[in-house]
């Protein structure tokens, strides 16, 4: 059924790069607080940087749980599942770091993405140092047809100025639903 791999090899990298959606899971430290699972997607927004390192572009959104949890404790799981072709689930467990657009390293992190959608409204780059790589069967994952990326998030961002985005982060993304600071 499942297997633990020493790293993201070429075969797993190919599988990861074929997927059009992935999920990230994080939780705050301690016994309280909410566990967060977020779907992510759009072609060009996820990159495998090496056998133990991945990253994705994080756009402004209605919440910022992942970023707050990473700031709190760094723990994260990234999951990919095949909705077409042979059934498979791949999970990457690791420690994440958030590089916000206000960080001097942001431009260098953004340069890791060879063909991103318009990055104007990217809020941060999330980089994960992968500590465990595993796969499992995915027999229960349904077959679904991919019709294309939604461009609404990119369009939303292109209509905002840098000041608008900064104001949005201050109003909507300053704390998690559990009150943890985001930036």
């Amino acid at each position: 059924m499942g297997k633990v791999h020493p790293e993201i090899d070429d075969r797993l990298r190919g599988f990861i790069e074929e997927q059009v959606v992935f999920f990230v899971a994080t939780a705050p430290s301690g016994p309280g607080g909410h566990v967060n699972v977020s779907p992510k997607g759009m072609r060009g927004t996820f990159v495998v940087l090496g056998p133990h390192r991945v990253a994705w572009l994080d756009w402004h959104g209605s919440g910022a749980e992942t970023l707050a949890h990473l700031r709190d404790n760094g723990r994260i799981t990234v999951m990919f599942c095949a909705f077409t072709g042979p059934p498979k689930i791949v999970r990457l467990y690791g420690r994440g770091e958030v590089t916000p657009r206000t960080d001097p390293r942001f431009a260098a992190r953004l340069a890791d993405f060879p063909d991103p959608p318009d990055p104007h409204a990217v809020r941060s780059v999330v980089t994960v140092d992968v500590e465990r790589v595993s796969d499992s069967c995915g027999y229960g994952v349904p077959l679904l047809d991919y019709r294309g990326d939604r461009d609404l998030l990119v369009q939303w961002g292109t209509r905002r100025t840098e000041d608008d985005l900064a104001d949005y982060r201050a109003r909507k993304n300053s704390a998690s639903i559990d009150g943890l600071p985001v930036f």
Side-chain angles (χ1 to χ4, degrees), residues 69-119:
H69 293 162
L70 290 177
R71 182 176 183 204
D72 180 47
N73 60 42
R75 296 175 304 161
I76 189 165
T77 300
V78 183
M79 184 183 78
F80 302 85
C81 46
F83 294 110
T84 62
K88 180 187 267 315
I89 297 170
V90 171
R91 289 181 182 88
L92 308 175
Y93 301 84
R95 312 284 299 168
E97 177 188 13
V98 177
T99 306
R101 67 182 300 110
T102 56
D103 188 304
R105 302 170 298 155
F106 180 77
R109 296 284 191 276
L110 190 58
D112 287 331
F113 296 83
D115 191 25
D118 181 350

Side-chain angles (χ1 to χ4, degrees), residues 86-168:
K88 180 187 267 315
I89 297 170
V90 171
R91 289 181 182 88
L92 308 175
Y93 301 84
R95 312 284 299 168
E97 177 188 13
V98 177
T99 306
R101 67 182 300 110
T102 56
D103 188 304
R105 302 170 298 155
F106 180 77
R109 296 284 191 276
L110 190 58
D112 287 331
F113 296 83
D115 191 25
D118 181 350
H120 171 69
V122 171
R123 176 173 60 186
S124 64
V125 175
V126 177
T127 307
V128 178
D129 289 321
V130 178
E131 301 167 347
R132 185 177 195 270
V133 179
S134 67
D135 67 8
S136 57
C137 67
Y139 291 166
V141 176
L143 292 170
L144 299 172
D145 293 322
Y146 172 67
R147 296 189 307 172
D149 288 336
R150 295 178 195 259
D151 63 354
L152 297 172
L153 191 56
V154 172
Q155 285 181 26
W156 176 90
T158 59
R159 294 189 305 264
R160 268 81 185 163
T161 66
E162 289 295 325
D163 288 342
D164 293 339
L165 293 172
D167 179 63
Y168 186 91

Side-chain angles (χ1 to χ4, degrees), residues 24-28 34-38 64-66 69:
V24 299
T26 58
H34 293 82
V35 174
N36 185 63
V37 179
S38 292
E65 304 313 297
T66 300
H69 293 162

Side-chain angles (χ1 to χ4, degrees), residues 34-56:
H34 293 82
V35 174
N36 185 63
V37 179
S38 292
K40 307 288 182 190
M42 291 194 292
R43 295 278 185 190
T45 63
F46 191 93
V47 64
V48 176
L49 298 171
H52 295 281
R53 194 165 172 86
V54 298
W56 78 84

